[in-house]
Amino acid sequence: MTEPAKKDGTGDGGEVQKNGQVPKDESSRTTGGVAEASKKAAKKAAKKAEKAEKKLEHLATRPKEAAGKPKESKPKEDASADDPEAIFKEGFLKKVYAEKPRPVRTRFPPEPNGYLHIGHAKAICVNFGFAKHHNGICFLRYDDTNPQKEEERYFTSIQEMVRWLGFEPYQITYSSDHFDRLYELAEELIRRDKAYVCHCTKEEVNLGRGGKDNRGERFACVHRSRPVEESLTEFRAMKDGKYGPGEAHLRMKQDLNDGNPQMWDLAAFRVVKENHHYRTGDKWRIYPTYDFTHCLCDSFEEISHSLCTTEFILSRTSYDWLLEQLDFKSPGSEEKGPMQREYGRLNVEGTILSKRRIEKLVKGFKASTRTIPSVVRDWDDPRLYTLVAIRRRGVPPGALLRFVGELGVTTSETSIQVARFENSVRKYLERTVPRLMVILDPIKVIIDNLPEDHAEEFDAPFDPKNPDVGSHQIPLTRTIYIERDDFREEDDPNFFRLAPGKWVGLLYVNHPIKAESFVKDPSTGRVTEIKATYGSNNSPKPKARIHWVGGSALGKTVPAEARVFNSLFRTPNPNSLDWDDGGYYNDINPDSEIIYPNAIIESGFNEIRKRAPWPAEAGEAKVEGQEAAPYTIRFQGLRTGYFCVDRDSIDGKVVLNRIVTLKEDEGKKA
C-alpha cells in the first residue's frame, strides 16, 4: 500500500502521493481510485498555478521606466542569507498573505507514525515562520487518525525537532481531540444527504471511477441512493462493530462527473482492525480519513492560512466542498473559514526519505531468497536524512533555516543535490564555529633536536576573522603528530608537505621542521615514526604549513574516534533500486562511513566543549546550568573538515562526526 503524503508536505518522502493520485486501499488516510487522468489533471493544475505565479512575479519585478541608473538587486541566496524572513516578504508567501490579510493562524500537522525528514524542515519553516513573521500563531497538530502506526516516540521526536529548529507551538493539539465532534458532523453530513454508507469492494469502487486507468465511464454504486435513515443506521452499525475492515465505508456524496478525482465520493470514515488508539484507547472501531478530518480540524482551530504542498492542489476542491456543506465556509469565498494554498515541496536527490525504506536500512528484512542485514545504526544514523540524523551529524538548526531561505518558496517543486545542501551548511559553519587542529590518521614525529621535556606554547585563535571568540595556547613538544597523508616516503617536486630532506611549516609555530628519516612496520609496510629536526631563523622558508597536535607532555591532547561520512549508496538515484527483494543492498557504498579509531584533538578542544553550543542559535540557545548536547560541540578541523561530538562518546574517548568537508576539499591539500 502506498502511504499518502501529508497535506503539509510531510508524507513518506520516497513513495509520495502524486498530484491527485490516491491510494486504492480505502483503509489509508486518503482514499479513492488511482487515475492516469488524475495525474494529468494535477500536473496541468500545478503547471497553470506555476505559470500564473511567474507572470505575477514578472509584473512585480519588471523595472519601471525612470530616469537614473537602475538599482542592482542581490542574488536571492545573498538576500535570504542577510534576511532570513525574506521568503515571507516577497514572492509566493507575500501573495498568500495579500489574498487574506487577517491575523495569521497556521498549523504544522504531521502524522505521528515516523521520524521527520529534511523535507519536513521546509514545512516547519513555512508554517511556523509565516505565523511568526505576521505576529500570528502556529499550532502543532498531531494528525493521529491512523492508530496502527502511531507510537509515543514519534510524538516526542516531532516536538523535539520543531523546538530544535527554534519554534515554539502556540498549542499542541491532536485530531483525536475532536473524534466525537467529527463523528457528529459525519451524521449531520448524512442527514443533509451529502454522505452515504457504501459496501463496495475496492475493485467495485475503482470500476465505478472509470476502471483501471480511470478513463472509462464513471457511475454511482447501488448504495449511493439509499435513504438517509438507512445510511444513518448503517453508520451507527459501523461504529458498534457490525462490520470488519473493508466491509463498509462512509463516503461523501460529491460529484462523479467532475474531472477532479478528489471529488469522486471520497471515504470519510473506515473500519480499522487494530483499533486501539494511543490516546482514546478502545473507544472507536471507526476512524475518520484524512480528507474528512483535516479541513474540519483547520476550521475548529480557526486556521486562517492552511499551507500545504502542491500534491494537494486538487484536494483544495474537496477541502472547500466539505467545509461548505457543513457551513464552515461560504461557496466561492475565502472570507469565512480556512484558506488552503499550495507551495512546492522540497526533495533532496540521492537520498532515501521513505519511512518503509529507511526501516529496512535500520532493521534489515527477510527477502524471498536471502536475509538482508541492517545497514545503519538507527533512524538517527548520520548517513540518513531524517531530522534526528541530520542533528546527530552536527548540522546546526540555523543552517537548515538558512538553507530553506536560500531555496525560497514558490509553487515549483524544489529538487536539489546533496552537494548543494552541504555547501549551504558549510558556509553557515564557516562563520559560526571555532577552529581547532585534529589529526585523523596520525604518524608520530620525534623532533630529535628538542629536549625530552620541551613544551613551548604558541597562541592559536579560535577564529582568525573574529578576535572576540578568543584564543588558546597549544604546546609544541618533542613528540608531535601529523596527518599520514601529509608525509611521503619519496619526495616529489609538486608535493609541498613533509618528505625526507624537505622542510615544512607547522601552523602557528615560528620555525619549520625537516624530515630526516622514518621507520616502517615490517608487517604492514606503514610508516610508524618520523625523525625530524626543528629549524631556526636561518632555515629555508617552507612552501606549505601543515596542522599538527603536540604530544601529551602537558596532558592536554584528547584521544578520539573520528567518523567520516560519504554517500550511503553508489548510485545517485537510490529510489530506483530494488527495495522489494533487497537488491538495494548490493548498491551500498562500502566507504559510506570511514572510521579513524586513533584520532587526536588538540588542547583547545576542552575549552570549546565548555563553551558550547556553537552556535547558540535557534533551538540550541544556551541554558544556564544545562550541559550542552554533544551535537552542539562543533568546530572546524583545520585542513580536515567540520566536526561535532557524537553521543557515543565516553569518558576518555571522544567520538567525532564529520559534518561536511571544507570548501577546499581533499584535492587541494597538495
Side-chain angles (χ1 to χ4, degrees):
M1 181 182 82
T2 300
E3 218 169 270
K6 290 303 304 300
K7 187 171 184 178
D8 61 330
T10 62
D12 204 352
E15 300 162 303
V16 298
Q17 175 182 346
K18 299 299 181 185
N19 296 335
Q21 179 175 323
V22 198
K24 293 182 181 179
D25 190 336
E26 296 282 358
S27 66
S28 67
R29 308 171 69 79
T30 307
T31 55
V34 180
E36 282 299 320
S38 69
K39 292 180 185 178
K40 291 183 178 180
K43 288 179 180 178
K44 186 176 180 180
K47 192 172 182 180
K48 186 177 179 181
E50 181 181 343
K51 186 176 180 181
E53 182 194 359
K54 287 181 177 178
K55 184 177 180 181
L56 285 172
E57 287 180 347
H58 172 69
L59 292 172
T61 58
R62 188 169 55 193
K64 297 179 180 179
E65 293 181 8
K69 186 178 179 180
K71 184 178 179 181
E72 291 185 13
S73 60
K74 289 185 178 181
K76 175 183 276 190
E77 185 172 313
D78 291 342
S80 61
D82 294 339
D83 183 2
E85 294 198 358
I87 58 173
F88 307 111
K89 297 176 179 178
E90 58 192 26
F92 172 75
L93 291 175
K94 179 183 179 181
K95 292 198 290 282
V96 167
Y97 181 72
E99 281 190 82
K100 192 165 186 172
R102 302 285 181 80
V104 171
R105 294 169 70 96
T106 61
R107 80 291 170 270
F108 172 59
E111 193 177 351
N113 66 356
Y115 292 98
L116 303 183
H117 57 66
I118 189 171
H120 296 94
K122 181 174 183 178
I124 292 171
C125 292
V126 167
N127 283 284
F128 280 94
F130 185 79
K132 182 179 179 181
H133 178 72
H134 293 289
N135 298 313
I137 59 175
C138 184
F139 292 79
L140 169 58
R141 183 202 307 150
Y142 291 112
D143 195 8
D144 56 341
T145 58
N146 198 1
Q148 300 111 311
K149 298 182 178 181
E150 293 156 4
E151 296 182 32
E152 184 177 3
R153 59 178 172 150
Y154 302 137
F155 287 88
T156 301
S157 176
I158 289 168
Q159 285 188 49
E160 285 182 358
M161 292 303 99
V162 169
R163 291 188 168 116
W164 175 63
L165 285 170
F167 299 108
E168 187 61 37
Y170 167 73
Q171 191 176 338
I172 296 175
T173 60
Y174 303 79
S175 293
S176 57
D177 293 339
H178 307 290
F179 279 174
D180 288 291
R181 190 176 181 186
L182 290 168
Y183 177 83
E184 291 166 4
L185 286 171
E187 287 207 351
E188 179 60 24
L189 201 64
I190 297 172
R191 292 189 192 97
R192 297 186 182 196
D193 199 22
K194 293 298 179 181
Y196 61 97
V197 172
C198 174
H199 302 282
C200 292
T201 64
K202 288 186 293 183
E203 292 73 21
E204 290 169 336
V205 169
N206 199 47
L207 185 64
R209 290 171 174 169
K212 185 177 180 180
D213 60 3
N214 300 119
R215 293 183 179 182
E217 181 185 357
R218 294 190 293 275
F219 55 88
C221 76
V222 296
H223 310 105
R224 198 175 198 264
S225 57
R226 72 194 321 168
V228 166
E229 287 303 321
E230 187 177 317
S231 276
L232 275 174
T233 299
E234 289 293 277
F235 185 47
R236 290 164 184 167
M238 285 173 61
K239 178 172 70 76
D240 294 337
K242 179 179 178 180
Y243 298 108
E247 294 178 358
H249 290 85
L250 179 68
R251 296 193 179 282
M252 294 178 271
K253 193 180 287 188
Q254 297 170 298
D255 184 0
L256 292 171
N257 294 318
D258 195 306
N260 184 347
Q262 285 296 118
M263 292 298 289
W264 296 349
D265 288 12
L266 301 180
F269 271 80
R270 81 280 192 199
V271 180
V272 174
K273 182 179 181 181
E274 298 175 22
N275 65 303
H276 182 83
H277 191 277
Y278 173 76
R279 299 183 72 242
T280 62
D282 297 321
K283 178 179 178 179
W284 297 97
R285 293 184 175 91
I286 58 173
Y287 285 89
T289 62
Y290 177 85
D291 291 299
F292 187 80
T293 305
H294 191 78
C295 60
L296 291 173
C297 286
D298 278 355
S299 185
F300 300 158
E301 294 174 357
E302 299 180 350
I303 299 303
S304 60
H305 301 77
S306 182
L307 305 175
C308 59
T309 48
T310 51
E311 301 97 295
F312 292 90
I313 196 166
L314 297 181
S315 297
R316 191 197 299 184
T317 304
S318 55
Y319 180 97
D320 288 344
W321 179 89
L322 181 56
L323 293 176
E324 290 166 8
Q325 300 308 314
L326 293 170
D327 302 325
F328 288 104
K329 195 163 187 172
S330 301
S333 172
E334 299 293 358
E335 185 70 20
K336 177 183 178 183
M339 178 183 79
Q340 176 180 308
R341 290 296 180 266
E342 308 84 11
Y343 60 90
R345 68 183 295 145
L346 169 62
N347 290 324
V348 180
E349 296 178 5
T351 64
I352 291 295
L353 302 181
S354 161
K355 288 189 283 285
R356 286 182 296 280
R357 292 177 177 180
I358 294 177
E359 186 172 32
K360 289 181 177 182
L361 295 174
V362 172
K363 297 180 179 179
F365 77 108
K366 189 169 181 59
S368 59
T369 59
R370 57 176 173 165
T371 298
I372 306 298
S374 62
V375 174
V376 296
R377 294 178 179 83
D378 207 336
W379 291 81
D380 67 349
D381 189 291
R383 290 167 290 181
L384 299 175
Y385 281 81
T386 57
L387 288 185
V388 289
I390 289 171
R391 180 179 68 173
R392 182 177 180 183
R393 180 172 163 182
V395 175
L400 270 177
L401 299 176
R402 174 187 170 125
F403 175 61
V404 171
E406 287 177 355
L407 297 176
V409 179
T410 69
T411 56
S412 302
E413 183 174 287
T414 303
S415 189
I416 60 101
Q417 298 287 339
V418 168
R420 182 171 177 184
F421 169 65
E422 291 185 343
N423 188 52
S424 180
V425 172
R426 185 181 296 112
K427 287 189 294 183
Y428 184 87
L429 291 169
E430 199 277 333
R431 62 181 178 82
T432 57
V433 301
R435 277 67 166 159
L436 294 175
M437 293 190 289
V438 57
I439 305 297
L440 301 183
D441 188 8
I443 297 181
K444 181 190 290 186
V445 177
I446 298 176
I447 306 174
D448 280 332
N449 61 334
L450 293 181
E452 291 284 350
D453 59 351
H454 185 84
E456 183 180 2
E457 293 197 325
F458 295 90
D459 189 65
F462 284 125
D463 185 348
K465 296 180 181 179
N466 184 6
D468 293 340
V469 180
S471 63
H472 62 293
Q473 299 295 305
I474 52 174
L476 175 67
T477 52
R478 186 173 189 267
T479 298
I480 64 171
Y481 295 88
I482 66 168
E483 203 68 67
R484 183 169 296 278
D485 64 5
D486 279 337
F487 176 76
R488 286 190 183 177
E489 298 175 34
E490 295 183 11
D491 194 14
D492 183 302
N494 295 317
F495 183 72
F496 302 132
R497 289 165 280 160
L498 198 60
K502 175 169 279 187
W503 293 90
V504 72
L506 301 177
L507 287 173
Y508 307 120
V509 176
N510 295 335
H511 306 304
I513 61 171
K514 181 176 72 171
E516 304 290 356
S517 63
F518 58 88
V519 178
K520 297 174 70 172
D521 183 336
S523 63
T524 63
R526 285 165 59 90
V527 174
T528 57
E529 184 178 289
I530 300 168
K531 298 284 188 177
T533 299
Y534 186 50
S536 65
N537 291 333
N538 298 321
S539 300
K541 184 177 180 180
K543 292 185 177 181
R545 286 179 176 266
I546 62 175
H547 63 293
W548 57 280
V549 170
S552 56
L554 301 181
K556 292 183 178 180
T557 57
V558 180
E561 173 186 300
R563 299 170 180 172
V564 170
F565 305 108
N566 299 299
S567 176
L568 186 57
F569 298 92
R570 292 190 181 100
T571 179
N573 184 19
N575 281 302
S576 67
L577 299 172
D578 170 20
W579 288 88
D580 294 328
D581 208 35
Y584 69 87
Y585 186 74
N586 300 326
D587 197 72
I588 297 296
N589 177 11
D591 294 326
S592 64
E593 180 183 82
I594 300 173
I595 297 177
Y596 295 92
N598 301 310
I600 307 172
I601 316 172
E602 54 116 318
S603 59
F605 174 77
N606 296 306
E607 183 176 345
I608 291 303
R609 178 159 47 184
K610 290 176 184 176
R611 292 172 58 184
W614 296 91
E617 295 179 0
E620 294 181 350
K622 194 173 183 68
V623 178
E624 284 299 323
Q626 184 174 313
E627 186 176 351
Y631 50 80
T632 70
I633 307 170
R634 306 179 180 98
F635 63 91
Q636 181 193 115
L638 292 170
R639 302 179 65 247
T640 307
Y642 291 94
F643 293 88
C644 80
V645 175
D646 188 80
R647 62 178 172 83
D648 286 346
S649 299
I650 57 175
D651 289 342
K653 189 67 172 278
V654 170
V655 177
L656 297 178
N657 293 329
R658 188 177 73 179
I659 308 169
V660 288
T661 61
L662 294 178
K663 186 181 295 184
E664 59 273 31
D665 210 351
E666 273 74 13
K668 294 191 178 182
K669 281 187 178 180

